[in-house]
Amino acid sequence: MAALVFNPTDESGERHVDIDPGESVLDALLRAGINVPYGCKSGICQSCILQTHDCTVPAIAQLGLRPQQVEQGQFLSCRCLAEADHALSVRSVDLSGQQHEARVIEKSRLNDNVFRLRIENCTTYHAGQFFTLWKDTHTARSYSAASLHSCDDYIEFHIKHIKGGAFSEWAWQTLLPGDTLQVQGPLGNCYYSGTDRDVPLFLSGIGTGLAPLMGILRDALYHSHRGPIILLVGNNSHHGFYLLDELSELSQRHSNVSVYFIAQEAPTETHKNPQYFDIQQADIYLFAKTCIDNFSGHRIYLCGAPSFVQKMKKLCFINGAKMSDIHADAFLPFNT
């Protein structure tokens, strides 16, 4: 059993917490009822940063932090695992200097389960990068940008509405145009690079993984990308898709763009109507191979659930793609 001492920034006094070997500092603090901000629990969103001055932390717990943060002893509490008989003293970090205040411009439904949130353009970013949005000082979630900084006066996110979700339920029910919220970021390397505008692009995602892919596609077209672009969008059912008309129109305007909507399940009688004429029922991985038999020379962007990203990444690699040409953003699920 390791010992953990937590020193908050307020006047509530230090707390002593037992932490099991192999348990993360974040999980131990949450188990003890200490409300540490967090978003993804995987070291990506950087919401759970803490600080220590009296000992070192594993290198993996500081992966992705700036050199100044490492020098200050800051670390990602979700990636810092306790070692046996190891004492660790930590304190909160004021992240307000890394955040921007942004005003909500628009909120609208995209389908039954996904809504669009647009906030004012408060910083520079690449389409496809992600931001951490804060409900309050303790609750944050990360979402990718579907908008284009050079064209849009807003940052757009596609948020899956989870009933009872700590952030998404609040954002849908309570957040209104004109309200402000704190925004942290951008982060992430899944965005368009215009170094070679003739290279073929393959973009594939499921669910709200469409958000960053939409931004990346628009960015490529904004920079007059000449190579062929395939966008492959998947979902379990026909009624889970959104932006069908916009994407179909985009593909009609640009001869080098092909867009495919692939549903795993056949439509029910309820959903057999004309708006689904562009959706095909197929296995998305098999369909990808029918689109491209050899991924060599392609630049690839994959977004969505971790299982999808991992499987599609493997398929692309086995069929000729270089790992350095595969850019992926895995969306971790949240049920609260």
Side-chain angles (χ1 to χ4, degrees):
M1 185 75 69
L4 177 64
V5 179
F6 176 72
N7 294 280
T9 53
D10 58 26
E11 301 299 322
S12 59
E14 68 178 27
R15 295 277 303 275
H16 293 255
V17 178
D18 289 332
I19 177 171
D20 298 324
E23 185 179 21
S24 74
V25 169
L26 175 62
D27 284 340
L29 293 174
L30 294 175
R31 175 170 51 79
I34 298 172
N35 209 345
V36 179
Y38 71 94
C40 67
K41 282 194 173 184
S42 68
I44 297 175
C45 72
Q46 299 191 5
S47 303
C48 66
I49 291 176
L50 296 177
Q51 188 174 29
T52 182
H53 291 301
D54 59 357
C55 64
T56 59
V57 295
I60 193 172
Q62 295 181 311
L63 192 64
L65 299 184
R66 298 189 303 275
Q68 298 92 328
Q69 292 176 289
V70 174
E71 291 173 5
Q72 294 168 8
Q74 294 184 20
F75 66 97
L76 302 163
S77 60
C78 67
R79 304 199 73 175
C80 184
L81 306 184
E83 300 176 4
D85 302 322
H86 184 224
L88 181 63
S89 179
V90 302
R91 63 180 299 107
S92 300
V93 175
D94 183 4
L95 297 175
S96 59
Q98 303 176 33
Q99 298 174 7
H100 316 275
E101 185 175 83
R103 180 173 53 87
V104 176
I105 296 176
E106 178 190 334
K107 184 177 69 175
S108 57
R109 278 287 187 193
L110 292 173
N111 66 18
D112 291 343
N113 298 311
V114 177
F115 64 92
R116 170 194 283 135
L117 183 68
R118 287 176 173 171
I119 64 173
E120 63 182 336
N121 196 341
C122 57
T123 186
T124 58
Y125 65 96
H126 293 286
Q129 288 189 297
F130 64 89
F131 293 81
T132 300
L133 309 184
W134 293 79
K135 171 187 173 183
D136 49 42
T137 57
H138 302 296
T139 308
R141 295 291 184 265
S142 297
Y143 301 99
S144 298
S147 48
L148 195 57
H149 178 265
S150 51
C151 298
D152 303 323
D153 59 359
Y154 53 79
I155 306 175
E156 177 172 316
F157 307 103
H158 301 164
I159 300 177
K160 183 178 181 181
H161 180 193
I162 299 174
K163 297 292 185 181
F167 185 92
S168 64
E169 179 78 7
W170 166 81
W172 176 247
Q173 297 292 348
T174 305
L175 204 56
L176 298 173
D179 291 345
T180 59
L181 74 166
Q182 294 297 313
V183 181
Q184 184 179 349
L187 292 169
N189 299 312
C190 189
Y191 56 82
Y192 174 75
S193 170
T195 53
D196 184 353
R197 297 179 184 175
D198 292 307
V199 66
L201 305 183
F202 176 68
L203 292 67
S204 186
I206 58 173
T208 53
L210 174 58
L213 298 179
M214 183 74 172
I216 292 167
L217 173 59
R218 289 185 60 210
D219 201 6
L221 295 175
Y222 176 79
H223 287 92
S224 302
H225 191 87
R226 295 180 293 266
I229 305 173
I230 292 178
L231 173 60
L232 184 58
V233 185
N235 214 297
N236 286 333
S237 61
H238 283 58
H239 58 91
F241 292 97
Y242 61 91
L243 297 182
L244 277 79
D245 292 341
E246 291 89 335
L247 286 168
S248 296
E249 181 182 348
L250 201 63
S251 66
Q252 291 170 11
R253 291 204 316 266
H254 299 273
S255 59
N256 62 328
V257 175
S258 301
V259 180
Y260 302 97
F261 302 98
I262 306 300
Q264 180 176 332
E265 301 171 358
T268 63
E269 291 298 325
T270 306
H271 295 111
K272 284 183 178 178
N273 60 62
Q275 69 173 304
Y276 297 116
F277 71 96
D278 279 334
I279 301 175
Q280 304 180 53
Q281 183 193 1
D283 178 281
I284 191 170
Y285 308 104
L286 295 178
F287 192 88
K289 292 179 66 175
T290 65
C291 290
I292 304 173
D293 58 358
N294 188 343
F295 286 88
S296 176
H298 285 69
R299 189 178 304 140
I300 297 163
Y301 299 91
L302 308 174
C303 301
S307 58
F308 163 79
V309 168
Q310 189 61 32
K311 189 171 181 178
M312 188 64 81
K313 182 187 294 186
K314 181 178 180 180
L315 181 148
C316 294
F317 176 72
I318 290 175
N319 289 277
K322 295 180 180 179
M323 289 302 294
S324 58
D325 287 333
I326 302 176
H327 308 273
D329 192 359
F331 292 5
L332 298 176
F334 290 103
N335 295 319
T336 60

